[in-house]
Amino acid sequence: MMKRTGFAFHEHCLWHDAGPCSVFDRPGGFVQPAAAAEHPETKRRLRNLLAVSGLLEQLAPVQAEPATREDLLRFHTERYIDELSAMSEQGFGDAGQYAPFRQDAFPIACRSAGLAMATVAAVLNGEVDNGYCLSRPPGHHAEADRGMGFCLLGNIPIAIRAAQAQGLVRRVAVIDWDVHHGNGTQQAFYEDAEVLTISLHHDNNYPVGSGSAEERGSGAGFGYNLNIPLLAGSGIGAYLAAMDQLVIPALDRFRPELIVVACGFDASAMDPLGCMLLNADAFGQLTRKVMVAAERLCQGRLVMVHEGGYSEGYVPFCGHRVIETLSQTDIYVPDPAGGDIARWGQQELQPHQAALLESLQPLLKDIR
């Protein structure tokens, strides 16, 4: 049976200009100016593929207003919001670390956060069964008082705090499978026992020094932050094993009322900023596993919020596979590279990867 899957999108998000920083911090010297690694085409091409396949017509549009100052202040500091707004009106700036932008960045970032808020609310209110939020700029690196890694505002923390403030939900689990550590989301809920944060990421990639297994939360939140720092070159077998051995058991122990996925596609084998080996089918399998858990634990309430992914050609196929899976449609778009990627060496769970996952098992005991 098809799911009624909500789809949140606004063209204004694609007008965000992250400046000519290419894959480096800034141009100059021997670095030729180029389009930013975080650019609109990965998202635009995903939406275009949904339209061409016909799947877009089966999705339920989610309408959204931009996040308000009150919404932002549930996570971000007043000083940061004021500075970001002022720099945006000035026409250029850097929100913190590797987060440059041009004019109108602040209102567009508020639009992006608003899309995440509306998708969460639509699922919790029963308007849709699950939802996909195609928002930009991304948010999982943004901290309370600064932007980081292309992220200006914490889309997921803002959305969860808004839903909690409205009495729509209490216990939420966040799974982040972007290839980079979700440091901003971790910070937002580090002392909170009512939000379980789980991040699967390339160990010590970005931010450097962030995302170790020893970072487990503090105070009342101790044990409710689970980092799974995967080794470079992890493939389909490692990711599926991490889901089966750590992520799903953590969800079962926590029993959330809602699951939110920070859905980055930079763990794909085609990504210029990652070194993992996933194909589109792997993202579909990850999605299916989370859906089964959501059906068992929280009436299927599941929201995907788009994060990273920098392969202009390949992100659309990964994203389409996730949304195919969410909606349980009979529309299928073949992955032109998926078969080759699946046949690459080291796609099976490797002994050193299995040992790492086993070493993280004791971390589950403090989740209740």
Side-chain angles (χ1 to χ4, degrees):
M1 182 181 295
M2 278 194 65
K3 293 285 188 182
R4 182 167 171 78
T5 296
F7 183 70
F9 171 81
H10 198 287
E11 173 66 24
H12 203 199
C13 288
L14 303 188
W15 293 17
H16 169 59
D17 185 349
C21 62
S22 184
V23 297
F24 304 101
D25 185 12
R26 59 183 62 85
F30 293 106
V31 179
Q32 179 179 328
E38 199 291 298
H39 62 93
E41 284 308 303
T42 54
K43 293 82 179 173
R44 180 175 282 121
R45 289 170 69 110
L46 170 53
R47 186 180 182 278
N48 290 347
L49 184 58
L50 291 167
V52 170
S53 73
L55 182 51
L56 186 62
E57 298 175 8
Q58 297 181 2
L59 305 177
V62 175
Q63 305 300 324
E65 295 297 321
T68 66
R69 185 180 181 86
E70 179 183 5
D71 297 323
L72 305 186
L73 285 172
R74 294 192 185 99
F75 173 45
H76 292 288
T77 66
E78 191 166 19
R79 178 179 178 181
Y80 174 61
I81 294 169
D82 290 341
E83 290 176 348
L84 184 59
S85 177
M87 286 190 290
S88 175
E89 291 180 9
Q90 175 182 315
F92 62 90
D94 193 312
Q97 182 188 99
Y98 304 121
F101 57 85
R102 299 278 180 92
Q103 187 150 357
D104 292 337
F106 180 67
I108 295 174
C110 289
R111 173 74 70 181
S112 183
L115 289 169
M117 289 171 54
T119 311
V120 167
V123 169
L124 290 174
N125 286 323
E127 299 165 21
V128 294
D129 297 318
N130 54 41
Y132 194 94
C133 174
L134 184 56
S135 55
R136 178 177 178 266
H140 75 142
H141 292 311
E143 297 184 340
D145 60 353
R146 64 172 178 169
M148 292 181 67
F150 311 134
C151 300
L152 305 184
L153 296 174
N155 298 327
I156 288 175
I158 290 167
I160 291 173
R161 289 305 190 206
Q164 289 176 326
Q166 296 165 29
L168 297 176
V169 72
R170 186 172 66 90
R171 290 171 68 85
V172 182
V174 181
I175 304 167
D176 188 333
W177 61 49
D178 188 284
V179 82
H180 306 111
H181 177 233
N183 60 290
T185 310
Q186 171 177 293
Q187 183 199 64
F189 304 111
Y190 205 63
E191 299 180 354
D192 191 338
E194 293 191 332
V195 180
L196 171 66
T197 49
I198 306 171
S199 180
L200 300 90
H201 52 270
H202 174 198
D203 184 20
N204 206 30
N205 178 317
Y206 182 85
V208 173
S210 177
S212 74
E214 287 71 35
E215 297 168 14
R216 302 183 59 194
S218 65
F222 180 78
Y224 293 90
N225 186 79
L226 174 61
N227 283 323
I228 306 173
L230 298 172
L231 303 170
S234 291
I236 297 168
Y239 270 83
L240 296 183
M243 187 66 65
D244 290 339
Q245 296 175 26
L246 294 168
V247 177
I248 300 303
L251 294 177
D252 285 336
R253 294 179 67 90
F254 184 68
R255 304 196 65 81
E257 300 164 11
L258 168 72
I259 299 172
V260 180
V261 175
C263 188
F265 296 112
D266 36 14
S268 86
M270 298 296 190
D271 200 88
L273 298 187
C275 55
M276 300 308 198
L277 304 177
L278 301 190
N279 61 8
D281 283 342
F283 285 105
Q285 292 178 72
L286 294 174
T287 301
R288 185 70 205 145
K289 289 178 182 294
V290 178
M291 285 182 69
V292 170
E295 291 288 349
R296 183 174 66 252
L297 299 170
C298 52
Q299 296 79 52
R301 297 188 185 111
L302 172 61
V303 171
M304 302 274 193
V305 179
H306 197 101
E307 290 287 353
Y310 307 100
S311 172
E312 182 178 330
Y314 200 56
V315 163
F317 294 97
C318 297
H320 200 284
R321 184 70 80 251
V322 166
I323 299 172
E324 286 173 21
T325 306
L326 282 176
S327 64
Q328 298 184 348
T329 181
D330 57 3
I331 293 174
Y332 173 77
V333 169
D335 174 0
D340 287 340
I341 294 171
R343 289 188 290 270
W344 288 0
Q346 288 76 57
Q347 282 290 12
E348 305 83 7
L349 178 66
Q350 301 297 300
H352 64 288
Q353 298 164 347
L356 169 66
L357 298 182
E358 184 177 359
S359 74
L360 299 177
Q361 291 284 333
L363 303 182
L364 298 176
K365 64 180 175 55
D366 294 308
I367 301 173
R368 299 178 179 87

